[in-house]
């Protein structure tokens, strides 16, 4: 009897409360997630690793996989919530731009509300659907149905971020996370704080953790039969070396004009000790002191001086080298010769006449040798940077190149590249001359800088270095190449011009 009266009361309650008519409809669709274009001229990428597995659920902005192109490694995130149904490209396989990487089952919801709230009478809906009630609260109202909260966008001001202590909160590059998981460390929060900037976990932190033996972990064993000693081994070219192989084949399409000369570095070399004494603090931070000096330029600010900007740790250095000065002088020569600030535009029709784009600033690429192959990151607008800033970017390139895989991003490898490339081969070997090759899209010229050496000139010693140029002879004339090198020489051998120029 009590339960019967309760059911009648609940029914009357829904009849007397204004309720808007809302209809919800949802459907599940399987969507292919396609590999987008991540750089100019990139048509395929190698899948380094997957962060998800089939049947696992993902939310928007969750990392799906890491891919590596000819130029950089990129982490790809999910564009919507759903469930991974199938992985189409396995780890180590090649994915074409525009092809599917995986299949994601997503739920689409459509809702519509009809007008304002209406009062439902007994005659308008004589057959009110009543579901079987197992347990009814004392007030007669069923508990509201709550759905799990949606993940907020990373740029949402109300997003508090992941909780401290979780692996998602830890700052680390994808390559470091991959190395840690491969070594058996599934929770990077055990290694916090790291030695990198803002507590970032570096590869050295993972290796130090393994060396301490805090947790007995064993790296995954590789399957396969070991190769007997003395037998030849067949190896396929890696992703980056295969790209280099293709680029060198395409370099045969360019008629090269070679030109070699020497530069006298004596005057520049005499400036280095003085310049090393005045490296800006953002690139060479002083050691922290317990008490501030009694006389300081910041004394005018009182007890709360403004925060000084400090560059990233991988740009710090304590000694300036000759290469930033050579690049700075080269950028000034490029400003005098616009043809060496130009790049050849791609032809949409083979019958079209070729055209050039002349840039306002001097963009110079620097060859960097890494564990996985050769990269050419770009220092943009070198003519507007000081030698100290150029050295900072070179240090950053070295740091990114030491990572496995290389940590270069589209920021260091822009789509349009550079107009001149520089290879500092003299820093590795004792060679003085070389024959560098240009590739399509690599600019109009490339120079190889050899090993500098002291030579006797009359009654004095001079520090000289050999430079070997190759230019695109379809664009650059031989006389223009020779005159451009002489312009570069005047900036190198008369460094007072750099000071007077003030740029």
């Amino acid at each position: 009897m009590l339960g019967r009266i309760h059911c009648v009361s609940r029914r009357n309650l829904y009849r007397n409360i204004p309720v808007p008519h809302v209809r919800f409809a949802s459907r599940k669709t399987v969507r292919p997630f396609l590999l987008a274009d991540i750089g100019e001229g990139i048509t395929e990428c190698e899948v380094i690793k997957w962060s998800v597995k089939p049947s696992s659920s993902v939310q928007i902005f969750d990392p799906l996989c890491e891919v590596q192109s000819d130029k950089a490694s990129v982490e790809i995130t999910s564009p919507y919530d759903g469930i991974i149904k199938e992985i189409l490209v396995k780890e180590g396989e090649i994915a074409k731009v525009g092809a599917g990487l995986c299949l994601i089952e997503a739920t689409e919801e459509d809702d519509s509300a009809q007008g304002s709230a209406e009062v439902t009478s007994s005659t308008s809906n004589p057959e009110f659907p009543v579901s079987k009630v197992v347990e009814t609260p004392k007030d007669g109202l069923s508990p509201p149905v709550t759905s799990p909260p949606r993940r907020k966008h990373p740029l949402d001001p109300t997003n508090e971020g992941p909780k401290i202590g979780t692996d998602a909160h830890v700052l680390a590059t994808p390559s470091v996370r991959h190395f840690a998981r491969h070594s058996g460390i599934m929770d990077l929060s055990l290694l916090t704080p790291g030695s990198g900037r803002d507590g970032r976990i570096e590869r050295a932190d993972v290796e130090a953790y393994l060396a301490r033996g805090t947790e007995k972990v064993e790296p995954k064993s590789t399957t396969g039969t070991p190769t007997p000693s003395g037998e030849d081994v067949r190896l396929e070219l890696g992703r980056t070396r295969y790209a280099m192989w293709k680029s060198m084949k395409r370099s045969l399409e360019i008629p090269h004009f070679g030109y070699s000369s020497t530069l006298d570095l004596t005057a520049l070399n005499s400036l280095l000790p003085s310049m090393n004494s005045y490296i800006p603090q953002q690139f060479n931070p002083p050691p922290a002191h317990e008490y501030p000096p009694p006389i300081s330029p910041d004394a005018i600010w009182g007890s709360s001086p403004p925060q000084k900007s400090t560059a990233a740790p991988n740009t710090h250095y304590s000694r300036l080298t000759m290469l930033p000065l050579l690049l700075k002088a080269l950028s000034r020569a490029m400003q005098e010769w616009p043809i060496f600030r130009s790049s050849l535009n791609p032809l949409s029709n083979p019958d079209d006449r070729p055209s050039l784009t002349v840039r306002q600033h001097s963009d110079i690429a620097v060859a960097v040798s890494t564990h996985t192959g050769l990269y050419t990151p770009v220092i943009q607008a070198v003519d507007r940077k000081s030698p100290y800033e150029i050295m900072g970017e070179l240090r950053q390139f070295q740091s990114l190149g030491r990572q496995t895989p290389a940590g270069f991003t589209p920021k260091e490898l822009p789509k349009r590249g550079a107009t001149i490339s520089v290879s500092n081969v003299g820093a590795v070997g004792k060679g003085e001359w070389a024959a560098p090759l240009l590739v399509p899209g690599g600019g109009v010229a490339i120079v190889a800088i050899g090993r500098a050496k002291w030579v006797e000139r009359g009654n004095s010693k001079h520090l000289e270095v050999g430079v070997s140029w190759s230019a695109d002879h379809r664009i650059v004339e031989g006389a223009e190449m020779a005159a451009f090198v002489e312009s570069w020489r005047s900036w190198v051998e008369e460094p007072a011009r750099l000071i007077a120029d003030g740029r």
Side-chain angles (χ1 to χ4, degrees):
M1 182 66 181
L2 182 60
R4 185 177 180 181
I5 294 175
H6 175 71
C7 291
V8 173
S9 302
R10 184 181 182 187
R11 183 174 180 178
N12 292 335
L13 177 65
Y14 278 99
R15 285 183 176 180
N16 297 331
I17 295 179
V19 180
H21 291 270
V22 181
R23 181 175 67 254
F24 295 95
S26 62
R27 59 190 181 93
K28 294 184 177 181
T29 58
V30 177
R31 302 178 180 177
F33 181 64
L34 308 181
L35 175 62
D37 185 4
I38 62 174
E40 181 180 3
I42 296 177
T43 59
E44 59 185 15
C45 295
E46 178 184 356
V47 177
I48 302 274
K49 68 180 181 70
W50 281 96
S51 303
V52 295
K53 297 180 180 180
S55 302
S56 61
S57 60
V58 293
Q59 290 184 319
I60 189 171
F61 306 122
D62 280 351
L64 291 179
C65 64
E66 181 183 352
V67 300
Q68 183 178 11
S69 67
D70 300 346
K71 299 182 177 180
S73 59
V74 180
E75 185 179 70
I76 298 179
T77 59
S78 175
Y80 32 71
D81 302 341
I83 299 176
I84 303 297
K85 301 301 292 182
E86 183 180 357
I87 293 178
L88 303 178
V89 183
K90 308 300 181 183
E91 292 183 0
E93 295 182 350
I94 303 299
K96 300 288 185 180
V97 171
L101 288 175
C102 63
L103 299 179
I104 303 178
E105 183 184 65
T107 302
E108 297 180 349
E109 294 184 356
D110 298 327
D111 60 280
S112 60
Q114 300 176 352
S116 58
E118 299 178 357
V119 178
T120 306
S121 61
S122 58
T123 57
S124 62
N125 189 11
E127 296 181 0
F128 187 85
V130 180
S131 59
K132 184 177 179 180
V133 179
V134 178
E135 183 178 355
T136 306
K138 295 181 180 180
D139 55 4
L141 297 177
S142 59
V145 179
T146 59
S147 59
R150 292 178 60 87
R151 183 177 179 181
K152 296 182 179 180
H153 193 281
L155 300 181
D156 190 341
T158 61
N159 185 8
E160 299 179 356
K163 296 181 179 179
I164 297 177
T166 63
D167 187 82
H169 179 80
V170 177
L171 297 176
T173 60
S175 61
V176 173
R177 292 182 182 274
H178 177 67
F179 173 67
R181 282 193 292 268
H182 181 77
S183 302
I185 303 176
M186 302 305 173
D187 186 6
L188 284 179
S189 62
L190 300 174
L191 282 66
T192 56
S195 60
R197 183 182 183 183
D198 298 328
R200 185 182 300 273
I201 301 296
E202 304 289 351
R203 184 185 180 95
D205 298 324
V206 179
E207 295 173 345
Y209 180 85
L210 297 174
R212 289 197 303 266
T214 306
E215 182 179 353
K216 294 182 178 180
V217 293
E218 296 182 0
K220 297 179 182 179
S221 60
T222 56
T223 59
T225 306
T227 305
S229 176
E231 292 189 4
D232 297 339
V233 179
R234 179 185 177 90
L235 294 176
E236 291 186 356
L237 292 179
R239 174 70 185 163
T240 307
R241 292 189 182 276
Y242 178 54
M244 184 172 65
W245 181 83
K246 293 188 294 184
S247 298
M248 290 299 104
K249 285 187 61 178
R250 295 168 57 201
S251 70
L252 300 176
E253 304 172 5
I254 302 176
H256 287 63
F257 175 80
Y259 185 84
S260 300
S261 183
T262 58
L263 301 177
D264 192 335
L265 307 179
T266 308
L268 277 182
N269 186 66
S270 63
L271 293 178
L272 282 179
S274 178
M275 298 184 68
N276 280 323
S277 301
Y278 297 98
I279 297 176
Q281 292 187 5
Q282 60 177 332
F283 299 113
N284 187 22
H289 296 283
E290 183 177 358
Y291 301 101
I295 301 177
S296 171
D298 296 329
I300 190 175
W301 304 108
S303 58
S304 56
Q307 187 71 23
K308 293 185 178 180
S309 60
T310 303
N314 60 357
T315 64
H316 293 175
Y317 58 91
S318 59
R319 188 175 66 89
L320 191 68
T321 63
M322 188 67 69
L323 183 58
L325 300 178
L326 292 176
L327 296 181
K328 180 63 180 181
L330 180 61
S331 71
R332 301 311 305 152
M334 293 170 65
Q335 290 297 309
E336 295 180 351
W337 287 83
I339 192 172
F340 291 95
R341 286 185 281 115
S342 62
S343 55
L344 187 64
N345 298 321
L347 296 177
S348 56
N349 190 331
D351 296 330
D352 293 343
R353 179 174 296 182
S355 61
L356 297 174
T357 297
V358 180
R359 307 182 187 182
Q360 293 297 317
H361 299 289
S362 306
D363 300 334
I364 302 176
V366 180
V368 178
S369 179
T370 71
H371 295 290
T372 54
L374 184 66
Y375 290 83
T376 53
V378 178
I379 304 178
Q380 302 185 53
V382 180
D383 56 295
R384 302 184 62 181
K385 292 182 169 68
S386 69
Y388 297 114
E389 294 173 319
I390 300 172
M391 184 66 188
E393 293 201 34
L394 292 175
R395 289 287 295 171
Q396 186 181 41
F397 292 167
Q398 294 175 358
S399 175
L400 296 175
R402 285 193 292 265
Q403 299 180 16
T404 304
F408 295 109
T409 66
K411 178 183 178 181
E412 294 83 29
L413 300 166
K415 288 184 178 181
R416 65 176 190 169
T419 61
I420 285 183
S421 300
V422 176
S423 178
N424 189 20
V425 294
V428 180
K430 295 183 178 181
E432 300 177 32
W433 312 101
L437 297 178
L438 271 175
V439 297
V444 296
I446 182 174
V447 60
I449 302 176
R451 173 64 65 92
K453 64 177 183 178
W454 291 96
V455 296
E456 293 283 349
R457 295 294 183 193
N459 297 326
S460 59
K461 289 185 176 181
H462 294 261
L463 183 64
E464 294 185 353
V465 64
V467 292
S468 306
W469 283 89
S470 291
D472 189 339
H473 212 357
R474 298 173 300 178
I475 303 171
V476 181
E477 298 178 6
E480 292 173 329
M481 181 80 260
F484 173 73
V485 174
E486 292 305 311
S487 174
W488 184 27
R489 180 197 311 281
S490 67
W491 287 95
V492 171
E493 299 182 358
E494 297 291 340
R497 293 187 63 190
L498 294 174
I499 301 174
D501 184 68
R503 286 178 292 175

